[in-house]
Amino acid sequence: MSVLDNKKISFIGGGNMAQALISGLVSCGVEPSLITVADPSSEAREQLSAKGLNTVDPTADATAAVIGADIVVLAVKPQVMKAVVSGFADALDQQLVISVAAGLSTALLTDMLGGYSNIVRAMPNTPAMIQMGATGLYGTDAISAEQKQLATAVMEASGLVMWVDDEAHMHAVTAVSGSAPAYMFYFIESMVDGAVALGLDKEQASALAMQTMLGAAKMAMNSDDAPAELRRKVTSPNGTTQAAVESMQANEIGRQIIEAMQACYDRSQALSEEMSK
């Protein structure tokens, strides 16, 4: 039995992230008939209806999706959030609201919703589209223990969930997982370019690089050893791996990664401050 059994879930916005979360929920056994989506795009509504989901005509606005829902997921762009939620804020009555909009603090969302504060802020990443996501969550003091379980279940349907106690830590979540798939893609891209330069064709290089990234991640997840220890175990003295690692260390790749994450963190803070003005 799941905490989501018989819970009505309404998505405001039916874009890529909403569809990723919906796919995860359906895969985990949530009945499509319990999921409602409000989106102004007729194309998006048609795609969602084809999956057996309830879709709301934009002429009825999102209020129809909110009334009677147990969980409301805000999946619209931050720039239009205020205009979208102002249309249904009065219809909220004890529902759990989960926002996946980047940069919008719970305080700002509460203000947009006319003082309504049953809010969980989520920072998912794009691998949620294949149910391999990593999501950071933060909830206001108004969130009950049951609602925290509901938020966890909704986001866990698409991958790993991690709660933070301080909302400021959501900027760190952005740096380590929210934006980080791009770091991994960049690393793979560089590995492919390096392998091609060494004589492999691009197809061979891509397959080897991607499988190696996947295998290393799974190995780290399943091992009791820390990543640094795993690295030491595969680095034979005076061997090929040591030569590569020493080259990275000489070029201070580790420091550059940390600085890149700091830049991401700083930009996340700045965007949040801009949204608050």
Side-chain angles (χ1 to χ4, degrees), residues 4-272:
L4 294 177
D5 285 350
N6 300 316
K7 297 296 184 184
K8 295 181 179 179
I9 307 171
S10 290
F11 283 79
I12 310 303
N16 288 337
M17 186 53 70
Q19 292 190 36
L21 296 175
I22 290 167
S23 294
L25 288 166
V26 173
S27 296
C28 288
V30 175
E31 288 293 330
S33 61
L34 293 172
I35 300 174
T36 298
V37 187
D39 192 290
S41 166
S42 59
E43 182 179 354
R45 292 197 308 277
E46 288 170 5
Q47 290 176 349
L48 293 160
S49 293
K51 298 177 181 179
L53 303 171
N54 299 309
T55 55
V56 178
D57 190 289
T59 57
D61 68 37
T63 303
V66 170
I67 295 174
D70 297 293
I71 303 164
V72 176
V73 182
L74 305 180
V76 298
K77 293 180 180 179
Q79 296 85 348
V80 300
M81 181 68 77
K82 186 174 183 178
V84 171
V85 302
S86 63
F88 64 78
D90 291 342
L92 290 169
D93 181 24
Q94 300 305 310
Q95 294 99 326
L96 167 64
V97 174
I98 302 174
S99 170
V100 297
L104 296 184
S105 68
T106 54
L108 185 56
L109 287 163
T110 295
D111 183 62
M112 290 179 178
L113 291 169
Y116 192 83
S117 60
N118 284 11
I119 299 170
V120 167
R121 178 181 171 187
M123 180 71 247
N125 61 12
T126 53
M129 295 179 182
I130 56 168
Q131 284 75 64
M132 290 291 289
T135 300
L137 294 177
Y138 172 79
T140 65
D141 291 339
I143 296 299
S144 67
E146 180 187 0
Q147 289 178 324
K148 187 171 182 178
Q149 288 182 322
L150 290 175
T152 298
V154 168
M155 302 310 295
E156 268 187 343
S158 296
L160 175 75
V161 166
M162 195 72 64
W163 284 86
V164 297
D165 295 327
D166 185 339
E167 188 166 8
H169 291 163
M170 292 296 281
H171 301 301
V173 171
T174 301
V176 77
S177 61
S179 295
Y183 317 162
M184 304 300 113
F185 299 145
Y186 189 74
F187 195 83
I188 292 171
E189 179 186 358
S190 298
M191 286 181 67
V192 170
D193 289 343
V196 169
L198 294 171
L200 294 180
D201 65 44
K202 195 164 187 177
E203 184 177 351
Q204 291 173 320
S206 296
L208 289 169
M210 287 186 280
Q211 181 63 31
T212 299
M213 178 74 80
L214 175 64
K218 285 190 172 182
M219 189 172 177
M221 291 175 72
N222 294 329
S223 175
D224 292 331
D225 292 329
E229 180 61 21
L230 290 173
R231 172 175 59 81
R232 283 191 287 269
K233 285 183 174 180
V234 299
T235 305
S236 302
N238 299 315
T240 57
T241 305
Q242 181 175 325
V245 171
E246 286 181 348
S247 175
M248 292 182 190
Q249 290 172 335
N251 287 287
E252 299 187 344
I253 300 301
R255 179 184 61 78
Q256 292 180 34
I257 291 171
I258 292 170
E259 288 184 356
M261 292 177 67
Q262 183 66 54
C264 179
Y265 180 96
D266 293 343
R267 184 56 182 151
S268 178
Q269 281 189 318
L271 286 172
S272 185

